[in-house]
């Protein structure tokens, strides 16, 4: 008797919920990508001070970009978590 791959077994349960799982993965990727931008913004502010080209407008601009991207990160991560949990608990409800 041939054993079935455990990953195929898991995906067989989740296949009907692919419409929720795919956006969850997409939102997670966007959230992680958005989490990198604030570091780039802080680096931009530091570079402005080292090169002597700092202005209040430049610092405020980079700060606004960092804050907006951090808010986007939180939003996308929350959406990803919600979609993944809804899918997981729905699968558990049907299987269990």
């Amino acid at each position: 008797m041939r054993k079935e791959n455990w990953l195929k077994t898991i995906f067989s349960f989740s296949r009907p919920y692919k419409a929720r799982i795919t956006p969850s993965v997409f939102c997670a990727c966007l959230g992680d990508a958005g989490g990198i931008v604030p570091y780039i913004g802080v680096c931009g502010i530091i570079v402005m001070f080292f090169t002597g080209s700092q202005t209040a407008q430049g610092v405020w601009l980079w700060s606004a970009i960092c804050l907006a991207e951090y808010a986007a990160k939180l939003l996308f991560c929350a959406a990803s978590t919600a979609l993944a949990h809804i899918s997981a608990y729905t699968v558990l409800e049907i299987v269990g």
Side-chain angles (χ1 to χ4, degrees), residues 43-83:
C43 181
I45 292 171
I46 291 171
V47 166
M48 282 192 312
F49 276 96
F50 277 127
T51 60
S53 63
Q54 76 273 11
T55 62
Q57 182 182 7
V59 172
W60 281 111
L61 176 66
W62 275 113
S63 299
I65 290 170
C66 292
L67 187 60
E69 283 301 319
Y70 186 72
K73 175 195 183 320
L74 291 178
L75 179 70
F76 283 119
C77 287
S80 171
T81 302
L83 289 169

Side-chain angles (χ1 to χ4, degrees), residues 7-22 84 87-88 90-92 94-95:
L7 199 54
K8 284 184 181 180
T9 305
I10 290 173
F11 283 135
S12 71
F13 289 124
S14 63
R15 189 169 291 120
Y17 308 101
K18 192 174 183 179
R20 284 191 187 143
I21 295 172
T22 303
S87 300
T90 305
V91 169
L92 286 175
I94 291 170
V95 172

